[in-house]
């Protein structure tokens, strides 16, 4: 039996900024306007599971770039995911390193070959910021 659909975000709220109350109302507002809202389950410490195919309408995940991802491994081969955002940063074995980009492009080709409607590259938007490593100049990506 499918779990009831409701907007709850246990364990993800930050009390100092009011939890996820604002997020809930923004999601509901977008849905009323007919705007699709995609929430990606998973993460480094996630324990959420789906009990049936019916629970997954549009399913997304954000694995690390070493293949297969340690958390979802064989699940990636099922073809059930609509969207996959692969984290190609802060992962020395497959992030972009200008002096030796081979591992990055090998990992990229592997991820491009799996069963999914769309696979996206999760890359830092700038050379300095939240991600410590893995920035790729846009010209480099365009040329490959």
């Amino acid at each position: 039996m499918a779990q009831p659909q409701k907007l709850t975000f246990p364990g993800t709220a930050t009390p100092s900024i009011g939890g996820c109350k604002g997020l809930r109302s923004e999601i509901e507002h977008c849905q009323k306007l007919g705007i699709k809202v995609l929430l990606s389950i998973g993460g480094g410490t996630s324990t959420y599971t789906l009990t049936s195919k019916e629970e997954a309408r549009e399913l997304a995940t954000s694995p690390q770039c070493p293949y297969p991802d340690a958390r979802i491994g064989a699940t990636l081969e099922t073809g059930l995911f609509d969207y996959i955002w692969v984290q190609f940063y802060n992962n020395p074995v497959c992030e972009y390193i200008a002096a030796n980009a081979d591992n990055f492009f090998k990992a990229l080709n592997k991820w491009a070959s799996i069963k999914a409607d769309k696979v996206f590259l999760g890359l830092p938007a700038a050379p300095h910021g939240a991600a410590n490593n893995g920035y790729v100049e846009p010209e480099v990506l365009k040329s490959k």
Side-chain angles (χ1 to χ4, degrees):
M1 175 186 279
Q3 296 176 14
Q5 292 184 356
K6 58 185 174 181
L7 291 174
T8 60
F9 303 96
T12 61
T14 304
S16 63
I17 59 171
C20 293
K21 293 176 186 170
L23 183 60
R24 176 191 309 268
S25 63
E26 290 179 17
I27 291 171
E28 290 171 344
H29 175 74
C30 289
Q31 290 174 325
K32 286 177 186 172
L33 295 174
I35 299 169
K36 284 187 177 185
V37 177
L38 175 69
L39 299 176
S40 179
I41 64 171
T45 60
S46 176
T47 58
Y48 185 85
T49 59
L50 298 174
T51 59
S52 69
K53 281 181 140 180
E54 291 74 31
E55 285 187 315
R57 302 243 169 12
E58 288 188 274
L59 190 58
T61 188
S62 301
Q64 304 289 310
C65 61
Y67 191 88
D69 179 83
R71 301 282 303 174
I72 57 174
T75 309
L76 292 165
E77 296 293 336
T78 65
L80 293 175
F81 290 100
D82 299 291
Y83 307 100
I84 299 176
W85 273 273
V86 185
Q87 180 180 320
F88 278 94
Y89 55 91
N90 295 342
N91 282 295
V93 298
C94 51
E95 69 189 28
Y96 181 79
I97 299 169
N100 181 3
D102 290 347
N103 288 343
F104 171 78
F105 287 107
K106 285 178 188 174
L108 179 60
N109 288 331
K110 175 59 182 170
W111 282 104
S113 71
I114 68 168
K115 298 178 206 170
D117 287 347
K118 296 191 185 224
V119 176
F120 298 91
L121 273 72
L123 295 169
H128 307 288
N132 295 323
N133 300 304
Y135 176 74
V136 184
E137 291 287 341
E139 295 76 29
V140 171
L141 285 176
K142 290 178 189 176
S143 70
K144 298 293 178 181

